Amino acid sequence: MKNAAKLFRALGDETRLRLLHLLSREELTARELEEVTNLGQSRVSAQLATLREAVPLAERRCGRRVHLRVDANDPGAAAILELVEPMIADSEACRADRRNLDALLRARRGDDDAALGLGRGYLPGRSWEGFARALLTLVRPGRLLDVGVGDGELTLLLAASAASVVAVDPDPAARERLRRKAEKRGVTRLEIADGDLSSLPVADASCDLVLLSQVLHCAEDVERALDECARALAPQGRLLILDLKRHAEAWVRERLDHRHLGFEERELRRALAARGLAELDVRPVSRDERPPHFVTLLATGIRETRA
């Protein structure tokens, strides 16, 4: 009796029915559910918590992301869907959600380059102004290591002129998306590898450039991450970091999986100097036009000698 009451309470809310409808069709993260439904993070999180108490949801973890889907192997879940789906599938809200879901899935597959570009959603510090200024510091092509590929656009831009590029990302979906884009554009000087900042899958002193574009703030251990980058640099190799200047927007921790609220200029300069890097340059290069006006820092240094 109690389980039945809990189930009917869970199903007695339009938002929870929309989430159930989506999760019966595709494996999605909470952030993706926010994007598809155009609902706020707090509302989606609260309604998901209630839904999970009554409906069996399968979980798959990828790093800090949790992917959810209605458990197709659970007889109870199948019975719930059989009861509910005919009543909600043709509603205006569910039809709109399915259209948004289709767009998200196209973006996942890399079929919609525009959706995956800098205009897709809003990520603090992601601007071509910052990228372009960073690229101006690249004196020569060489062996490049790009950590955290994002939508892959910068990686592919670098691969067009570099001797070779190793692109590292822990997310299999991001790696597959980059692979598809590289094949589509005929990019061949590119190796795509599983890994993260805590343990880079490259040999010591093997890279002429190590690029961290908006990923250092996601590192579990910043000190270890910078040690790994310094280890990978060849003599005269350059470390280039694009990341957010220190800010007070704590919401990025939960919504965007940021572990750190940006960095101070002197903090990055001190960290690079401690790893034997010289010719240091740490400065702001862009400021987002929309509030809260995130500022992007560019930090570079050259490995003159091995530590």
Side-chain angles (χ1 to χ4, degrees):
M1 183 69 73
K2 289 183 179 180
N3 288 339
K6 183 184 295 185
L7 172 62
F8 286 114
R9 280 197 301 270
L11 298 180
D13 178 270
E14 181 179 339
T15 299
R16 290 195 287 271
L17 290 173
R18 290 172 64 189
L19 298 179
L20 177 67
H21 182 67
L22 290 167
L23 293 174
S24 70
R25 281 159 170 72
E26 188 62 39
E27 182 184 67
L28 298 164
T29 66
R31 182 68 186 88
E32 289 172 328
L33 286 168
E34 294 167 33
E35 183 175 342
V36 170
T37 59
N38 290 315
L39 297 174
Q41 178 269 330
S42 59
R43 185 173 176 184
V44 169
S45 294
Q47 302 298 0
L48 261 182
T50 302
L51 186 65
R52 294 173 75 171
E53 290 180 358
V55 179
L57 299 182
E59 292 187 6
R60 181 177 66 85
R61 291 187 174 271
C62 179
R64 297 187 65 217
R65 297 183 181 88
V66 178
H67 300 257
L68 300 171
R69 186 166 189 169
V70 174
D71 190 350
N73 297 318
D74 189 288
I80 292 169
L81 293 177
E82 184 177 357
L83 170 68
V84 172
E85 277 291 294
M87 294 186 284
I88 67 172
D90 288 332
S91 68
E92 183 178 348
C94 285
R95 288 199 303 269
D97 287 345
R98 289 198 299 273
R99 288 194 296 270
N100 292 339
L101 178 61
D102 288 343
L104 182 141
L105 295 178
R106 289 197 302 272
R108 270 191 190 175
R109 294 192 299 268
D111 296 339
D112 186 352
D113 286 348
L116 287 169
L118 295 175
R120 177 178 179 263
Y122 173 59
L123 295 177
R126 295 294 298 278
S127 72
W128 274 113
E129 179 186 358
F131 288 154
R133 294 194 183 204
L135 290 172
L136 290 176
T137 68
L138 304 181
V139 177
R140 65 192 188 281
R143 301 163 296 172
L144 308 187
L145 173 63
D146 184 14
V147 186
V149 301
D151 60 25
E153 294 300 324
L154 182 59
T155 308
L156 296 173
L157 183 62
L158 292 168
S161 59
S164 64
V165 175
V166 177
V168 175
D169 200 293
D171 184 355
R175 296 196 303 272
E176 176 61 18
R177 191 161 58 232
L178 177 59
R179 183 190 66 77
R180 287 175 178 269
K181 283 190 171 186
E183 289 182 354
K184 183 178 179 180
R185 301 181 193 183
V187 175
T188 58
R189 295 190 294 270
L190 175 62
E191 176 187 345
I192 303 172
D194 183 10
D196 59 35
L197 280 167
S198 65
S199 181
L200 296 173
V202 295
D204 293 357
S206 61
C207 302
D208 299 308
L209 172 71
V210 175
L211 172 63
L212 309 183
S213 177
Q214 301 295 346
V215 295
L216 190 60
H217 57 242
C218 293
E220 294 278 352
D221 186 337
V222 171
E223 296 295 318
R224 178 168 179 174
L226 293 176
D227 286 342
E228 277 291 281
C229 292
R231 175 188 67 78
L233 283 175
Q236 296 302 306
R238 183 188 296 269
L239 173 61
L240 188 154
I241 299 171
L242 276 169
D243 217 296
L244 298 177
K245 183 178 174 64
R246 182 82 69 194
H247 59 85
E249 303 298 321
W251 57 267
V252 300
R253 295 186 186 275
E254 185 170 0
R255 288 195 61 179
L256 302 178
D257 291 334
H258 291 198
R259 305 306 293 265
H260 310 278
L261 301 182
F263 304 94
E264 295 291 350
E265 294 169 57
R266 63 179 179 275
E267 178 183 9
L268 286 177
R269 182 179 293 274
R270 198 163 46 235
L272 298 189
R275 285 156 180 84
L277 273 63
E279 300 184 33
L280 301 179
D281 183 10
V282 183
R283 54 194 164 92
V285 292
S286 69
R287 180 177 183 269
D288 289 352
E289 293 183 1
R290 62 185 291 182
H293 305 296
F294 289 101
V295 173
T296 295
L297 296 178
L298 167 65
T300 67
I302 292 177
R303 163 67 69 202
E304 291 192 332
T305 59
R306 297 306 299 164

